[in-house]
Amino acid sequence: MSDISKQAAEQAGQRKGQADNFIVPGARYIELDALRGFAVMGILAMNIVAFALPGNAYMNPDIVGGSAGADLLSWFFGFIFIDGKMRGLFSLLFGASLFLVTSLAEAKGQSPAKTHYSRMFWLGFFGLIHFFFLWFGDILFLYAAIGSIAYLFRNSTAESLIKKAVAIYVGGFVMWAFLMATIFVFQSQAEIPGADILMVEAYQEMLDGMGFTSAAIAKDVALYQSGFVDIANHKLTIMTFQPLYSIFQAGFETLPFMMLGIAMMKNGFFLGKLSHEAYRKWALWMTLIGTILSTALALLAYYSDFEPVLLINITIAWTLPTRMMMTIGYAALLIVLIQQYSHHWLIRRVAAAGRVAFTNYLGTSVIMCAIFYGWGFGLYGEISRSTLWLFVIGMWCVMLLWSQPWLMRNRYGPLEWLWRTLSRGQVQPLAIR
């Protein structure tokens, strides 16, 4: 986008009492597009484990997928540098998009609430289809639900949004730290000599339900190596309310990130308005401190021989502060790189992948489920953790290869067009004429 059109996008309007940036039709910010591209590519680096391996192999390399050599290094790398950080970046960008879309609607004299909630309704619909009939790791329904709440904060100042977001995030961290700590109590009562047999059985049942036992792993492998109907039926009957549970499980993390994303649009962080020195400081200190703490937690898990209860506490609760720090650090670092190399062919390709992130996200699920599930090539549970990187890199190449040529001929990605059409209640133009 030219400097003139970018300036026009930034100056298209002002909200009472504060300067808010609006967009104009056709205006793009390469910072946002490329960040979204990096996020949709990066999130696969962790999701691939859930696509391909059973149970809590996502947390525990001892379960399946290899826990030595390259496989162990792969777990360390994913835990320290990727897990939760790419999802956090996605959530920040969702908040930024929420602000941009509703601000544009308002500038056009349309109802921002109607525009937003129509989008969230159809996003939730896509999410439920995705969850029940494709992949259990869906985040679209979660984003639709939490995005409906985040909208209520869109008129707050950037400073107010940051304070509220941090307060909610800290509250969620305290809540999860307390809830997960109660499992230590449960464990101690079940493992003492002469423990009540019912207590022991309940504890083992809990571990089995969390996917840590060999029986649970075998059951999981059998399910996802079965046919499409069996997998869908299991989710429809056994996992019926899982999309709703995800709102509680991840809501106290996702909502603050979305609020911060709105704030980062209002204060110019996402638009490259800070000084390079400021971005470098955010990138250095947030990433450095987060990496040190994440490494300490990874080593704690490793030297405990990946003890299940400790691992649950580490993964669900104790990593929350590091996710926040590293997500913000990554955002700052990537903005510096994107601005410095904005004309490089790779950044342009990544930005194109970001413009069609919705299609790339769901398209990835289709391809990966076809590779690993029983209705496809049936490789579920068969590939080592380190070898999974070949599938990740292959999918990255697909995203980079198709996205830019498609956008040279079309305004939106295929699923972006469908979402837009459904949300607006009329067929939208797709081809560039």
Side-chain angles (χ1 to χ4, degrees), residues 272-287:
K273 296 300 183 182
L274 277 63
S275 68
H276 280 280
E277 183 63 24
Y279 282 116
R280 289 190 181 97
K281 286 182 178 179
W282 278 107
L284 174 62
W285 291 109
M286 291 293 98
T287 305

Side-chain angles (χ1 to χ4, degrees), residues 124-141 224 231-232 234-244 246 361-362 365 373:
F125 175 79
F126 281 118
L128 292 176
I129 297 298
H130 183 218
F131 175 83
F132 287 112
F133 300 106
L134 201 56
W135 186 50
F136 66 86
D138 171 74
I139 60 170
L140 300 180
F141 182 83
Y224 289 103
I231 296 173
H234 175 81
K235 286 188 281 189
L236 286 166
T237 57
I238 306 300
M239 302 174 69
T240 311
F241 298 105
Q242 184 59 42
L244 293 177
S246 70
Y361 174 73
L362 289 177
S365 290
Y373 283 9

Side-chain angles (χ1 to χ4, degrees), residues 9-253:
E10 294 170 353
Q11 297 177 346
Q14 288 190 337
R15 192 181 301 274
K16 182 170 67 173
Q18 61 182 13
D20 284 340
N21 297 314
F22 293 118
I23 59 170
V24 294
R28 307 292 315 188
Y29 288 100
I30 191 170
E31 294 91 348
L32 293 178
D33 290 337
L35 278 171
R36 194 177 294 108
F38 281 118
V40 75
M41 293 171 65
I43 202 169
L44 176 59
M46 284 307 298
N47 283 353
I48 190 67
V49 178
F51 278 122
L53 299 177
N56 273 322
Y58 187 94
M59 288 193 291
N60 188 348
D62 266 351
I63 287 180
V64 70
S67 57
D71 295 319
L72 180 60
L73 289 176
S74 182
W75 176 84
F76 267 105
F77 181 81
F79 180 92
I80 295 170
F81 296 107
I82 303 173
D83 186 26
K85 292 81 175 177
M86 295 298 108
R87 187 173 65 250
L89 190 56
F90 237 154
S91 301
L92 288 177
L93 291 163
F94 193 91
S97 295
L98 182 161
F99 173 73
L100 288 173
V101 170
T102 55
S103 294
L104 179 58
E106 195 169 45
K108 290 181 175 180
Q110 301 169 353
S111 167
K114 181 179 179 181
T115 298
H116 177 71
Y117 286 109
S118 178
R119 285 168 53 83
M120 294 304 98
F121 172 82
W122 287 108
L123 183 65
F125 175 79
F126 281 118
L128 292 176
I129 297 298
H130 183 218
F131 175 83
F132 287 112
F133 300 106
L134 201 56
W135 186 50
F136 66 86
D138 171 74
I139 60 170
L140 300 180
F141 182 83
L142 168 69
Y143 276 25
I146 300 302
S148 297
I149 301 172
Y151 173 85
L152 303 176
F153 297 93
R154 64 183 286 270
N155 289 325
S156 299
T157 64
E159 182 180 2
S160 175
L161 280 163
I162 292 170
K163 290 179 179 178
K164 292 172 184 176
V166 171
I168 294 171
Y169 200 86
V170 170
F173 167 64
V174 172
M175 178 194 72
W176 279 116
F178 174 78
L179 290 176
M180 293 300 101
T182 62
I183 304 179
F184 281 123
V185 179
F186 190 13
Q187 179 187 39
S188 65
Q189 293 176 341
E191 293 182 347
I192 60 175
D196 183 83
I197 186 64
L198 294 178
M199 177 70 71
V200 174
E201 290 176 352
Y203 177 68
Q204 288 301 317
E205 185 177 344
M206 180 195 72
L207 293 180
D208 186 70
M210 292 180 174
F212 284 112
T213 66
S214 57
I217 295 168
K219 185 178 180 180
D220 188 89
V221 171
L223 171 64
Y224 289 103
Q225 285 190 348
S226 64
F228 179 88
V229 173
D230 290 332
I231 296 173
N233 182 64
H234 175 81
K235 286 188 281 189
L236 286 166
T237 57
I238 306 300
M239 302 174 69
T240 311
F241 298 105
Q242 184 59 42
L244 293 177
Y245 297 155
S246 70
I247 297 173
F248 173 73
Q249 292 168 347
F252 289 96
E253 179 180 3

Side-chain angles (χ1 to χ4, degrees), residues 35 269 279-280 282-284 287 327-339:
L35 278 171
F269 185 100
Y279 282 116
R280 289 190 181 97
W282 278 107
L284 174 62
T287 305
T327 296
I328 295 173
Y330 284 176
L333 174 62
L334 288 171
I335 287 173
V336 170
L337 294 175
I338 291 165
Q339 290 190 324

Side-chain angles (χ1 to χ4, degrees), residues 40-41 44 48 359-368 371 389-402:
V40 75
M41 293 171 65
L44 176 59
I48 190 67
T359 300
N360 276 323
Y361 174 73
L362 289 177
T364 295
S365 290
V366 172
I367 292 172
M368 293 303 155
I371 291 172
W389 278 99
L390 298 178
F391 296 90
V392 173
I393 294 171
M395 193 64 218
W396 287 351
C397 290
V398 171
M399 293 183 193
L400 294 175
L401 287 172
W402 85 272

Side-chain angles (χ1 to χ4, degrees), residues 349 352-353 356-357 359-360 395 397-408 412-416:
R349 291 269 177 175
V356 293
T359 300
N360 276 323
M395 193 64 218
C397 290
V398 171
M399 293 183 193
L400 294 175
L401 287 172
W402 85 272
S403 301
Q404 190 176 59
W406 174 273
L407 290 171
M408 292 173 67
Y412 323 105
L415 292 181
E416 283 79 5

